Amino acid sequence: MSSTMPVPPKSSIAEERANPSFPVRELTYWIDGGRRVTELKERIMLELERDPLWRVSDHPNLSLAETRERAMSKIRRLADLATSRPLEETMIRMSIISVVDPGFWTRFGVHFGLFFGALQGQATPSQMAYWMDKGALSMQGITGCFGMTELGHGSNVAGLETTATLDEKVDEFIVHSPTLTATKWWIGGAAHTATHCAVYAQLIVKGQCYGTKTFVVQLRDTKTFALMPGVNIGDLGKKMGRDQIDNGWIRFTHVRIPRSHMLMKHTKVTRSGEVIEPPLAQLAYGALIQGRVSMVSDSANVAKRALTIATRYASVRRQFGGSASGAAETKLIDYPIHQYRLLPLMAQTFAMIFTAREVTANYEKLMGELSDLGEAKDAAADDVIKNLKETHATSAGLKAFCTWMCLNIIDQCRQSLGGHGYSAYTGLSQAYSDFAVHCTWEGDNTILTLQCGRYLVATALDARKGQPLPENLSYLKGAVSATGGLSDRACKGGSTEQVSSLDTLKAAWSSVAANAILNAVRDFEAGLAKGLAKDDAYEFSSASRLHAARMHTYTYLLHRFAAQVDRSPAALRPVLTLLAQLFGAHSAVQHSGEFLQAGFYTGPQIETLKGFVSHACSEIRKDAVSLTDAFNYTDYVVNSPLGRFDGDVYEKYFELVTSLNPAKPVPYFDSLIRPLLERTNETEAGPELEIDEE
């Protein structure tokens, strides 16, 4: 039996930082968007760390009631900061909190993001002024929630059952839940907190239904907190994650509200009962995009934390190897299979980081254009509507595939920690439970991919008729031939450089995405040829639409990543280029059949690409810890003893577990354990039977 020489974990991680191939601080600035933003983030992280209210290390041991109370204790302080500090600082603070305490982020965001966001997006200026005076921004007098989802309806907003019927005699709407399935469900803040709700209900005027609109309904008396007449509310209790938010159900029984409590920025209802629809009904889509865009950023931010924990632990954890007498065991990160396990996830995370930056900028630009548009119907309005549809579809696909990607990153990182990944104290089991809801809320991921796929099919059909391609589909210009088929753009050459260059990978993914879109178009047209109605033909092609959305979104991520590489500082370009190549190549290997089917790569070229992936992982391994350092999360934000910056994982892990679980008598020893141990096998003898004596 040979003994091995233990290596101090601090020494193990220190040697990882000895010779990075790039300036780490400069990459942090590039990720954050500049030195000023980085320093602001560092200030906010320090403020949170030093505030006793923001203690997070003991979260695993809190009960449901304690978790909710802890979250509520932070609300006032953050509400005061949100209304007194610049908007940029508030947004950055919230992005950090979404990683530190995602459940609280949700509870706070229900009011400021959803309820107040509904007012911003759908209230007229006079209505907005009214609700601001009531305290909607500062939470002084009003706490809001967002009442869209029902027990029987989620993604199908048009099918919601709650009604809002105009009573012209008294100038009021009657809000009502006509069925059990019309009960508002999963409403964050409803169980304990909200006084008002932005309720989505079917607008009914003079017996005619005008579709789903938004109404502000008071739930509780703002002084006594008693439920308003006709309002019933219950608690949904324990959930998979994010227990900080008090999700509840709401039922309305003929609840009356003033007509002016319908938000009328778009559709208007007059005193006489005239319904005035907006000239550009699509403008209402704008309100749906913000949440989807924010979840692309959130996916990147949460993935950064997971990879920081897994990569740092892999750099200090030693296992096997060291066959020579006294030799140290091998670091996990030095095993090629562990590199292959983690480093493609690193590349995916950088792809999400840079895509989030671009899609957020595009969204903000679009919102400015919508704000300036007014009620115009000219060519400029047509261009804005096209951009709106493009952003709506792109954000739908990105929301779906980035949240799926992040959830997988969390779980793969958790598994890479071995048995310790199962501990609630190492940070990733709860991260998985908290993040999983991202794949469902703000639009179920599968439904969103189908929306994106429908847009892709419709756009391809328009392009066939001579319509110009939107920016996010510009890659189709070279990938689709003049006859509407796939262009002959096969990869030329078989060397590693020829197969794996960033330009080649961009062309490869463009070809694969184009092929998937053309296949979806063919399936759609096959449905029409069978005599199906348009909507039914889209359903007929749903599987190929989902696949087209997947291929398109991967292509979009790679193109956005490559665009950021081109703009990056020269000192960062080599490592970012390699990460972009790894993202494109690893994703291609995972979907190799698509590239063979599209005729871009041959079988031998795919094998060469596999070899490049292994090579890229071994090269990026040299910078793995430095790359996570560039994410610049403090130990407080990482909140895992296994992801500590100094590598002192075992001491801090032991300290945390023992401090939160001190030795004490077993409370059920006398009632359960002692009787178990002291029980006997003797049974009471029954009466003697005469038959036995014969």
Side-chain angles (χ1 to χ4, degrees), residues 113-373:
L114 296 179
F115 176 77
F116 191 74
L119 295 178
Q120 284 182 305
Q122 301 180 60
T124 65
S126 61
Q127 287 178 320
M128 191 67 188
Y130 172 83
W131 291 111
M132 289 284 283
D133 288 343
K134 289 283 188 180
L137 176 60
S138 60
M139 297 181 78
Q140 292 172 292
I142 285 181
T143 53
C145 62
F146 188 76
M148 179 182 285
T149 304
E150 295 177 352
L151 181 58
H153 284 89
S155 298
N156 183 15
V157 177
L160 295 178
E161 297 178 73
T162 303
T163 58
T165 305
L166 181 66
D167 185 345
E168 299 165 55
K169 296 177 182 177
V170 292
D171 201 27
E172 293 177 340
F173 282 107
I174 303 170
V175 180
H176 184 59
S177 306
T179 64
L180 175 65
T181 50
T183 305
K184 293 298 180 182
W185 204 261
W186 286 121
I187 310 306
H192 294 170
T193 315
T195 61
H196 290 69
C197 183
V199 176
Y200 283 70
Q202 301 291 346
L203 169 64
I204 299 175
V205 179
K206 297 179 180 179
Q208 182 176 345
C209 181
Y210 289 88
T212 305
K213 312 299 176 189
T214 312
F215 305 79
V216 179
V217 181
Q218 186 168 351
L219 305 178
R220 294 178 170 98
D221 186 290
T222 57
K223 302 298 182 184
T224 67
F225 219 58
L227 293 177
M228 300 298 289
V231 177
N232 296 98
I233 293 178
D235 193 333
L236 291 183
K238 186 76 175 172
K239 305 182 294 293
M240 179 177 177
R242 301 194 187 230
D243 279 329
Q244 292 88 337
I245 179 68
D246 52 324
N247 293 87
W249 57 264
I250 310 171
R251 296 190 77 185
F252 302 104
T253 305
H254 304 297
V255 176
R256 290 183 172 269
I257 62 171
R259 177 175 55 87
S260 60
H261 284 198
M262 172 184 165
L263 301 182
M264 299 191 192
K265 181 176 183 178
H266 303 299
T267 300
K268 298 173 174 58
V269 179
T270 68
R271 175 70 178 83
S272 62
E274 179 186 3
V275 179
I276 305 170
E277 297 280 22
L280 298 172
Q282 302 97 322
L283 296 180
Y285 291 160
L288 299 175
I289 298 173
Q290 182 178 10
R292 298 170 184 177
V293 170
S294 70
M295 275 190 276
V296 179
S297 296
D298 202 38
S299 296
N301 291 336
V302 172
K304 287 191 292 185
R305 174 177 177 257
L307 277 162
T308 298
I309 295 170
T311 304
R312 289 177 178 173
Y313 181 67
S315 300
V316 301
R317 176 73 169 186
R318 293 175 180 269
Q319 203 77 46
F320 304 113
S323 56
S325 178
E329 291 182 283
T330 303
K331 291 181 180 181
L332 293 184
I333 196 69
D334 283 331
Y335 287 104
I337 192 62
H338 210 78
Q339 296 167 16
Y340 192 86
R341 190 177 195 178
L342 290 182
L343 299 182
L345 307 182
M346 182 85 73
Q348 291 174 14
T349 299
F350 273 91
M352 289 191 288
I353 289 169
F354 294 131
T355 299
R357 173 186 296 178
E358 288 210 15
V359 76
T360 299
N362 291 341
Y363 167 75
E364 291 172 351
K365 179 184 176 184
L366 174 64
M367 289 300 101
E369 292 172 348
L370 288 174
S371 178
D372 296 339
L373 188 59

Side-chain angles (χ1 to χ4, degrees), residues 60-169:
N61 283 21
L62 299 181
S63 67
L64 174 62
E66 290 169 336
T67 297
R68 288 181 174 179
E69 183 177 353
R70 177 81 65 87
M72 196 64 208
S73 68
K74 306 169 187 174
I75 292 285
R76 178 173 178 175
R77 182 167 301 177
L78 200 59
D80 290 341
L81 283 172
T83 54
S84 63
R85 303 300 301 163
L87 178 61
E88 180 193 34
E89 179 178 326
T90 297
M91 298 303 292
I92 291 174
R93 187 181 301 274
M94 291 305 295
S95 72
I96 295 170
I97 288 172
S98 73
V99 179
V100 171
D101 190 350
F104 170 82
W105 174 80
T106 304
R107 188 163 189 169
F108 191 78
V110 162
H111 176 90
F112 282 93
L114 296 179
F115 176 77
F116 191 74
L119 295 178
Q120 284 182 305
Q122 301 180 60
T124 65
S126 61
Q127 287 178 320
M128 191 67 188
Y130 172 83
W131 291 111
M132 289 284 283
D133 288 343
K134 289 283 188 180
L137 176 60
S138 60
M139 297 181 78
Q140 292 172 292
I142 285 181
T143 53
C145 62
F146 188 76
M148 179 182 285
T149 304
E150 295 177 352
L151 181 58
H153 284 89
S155 298
N156 183 15
V157 177
L160 295 178
E161 297 178 73
T162 303
T163 58
T165 305
L166 181 66
D167 185 345
E168 299 165 55
K169 296 177 182 177

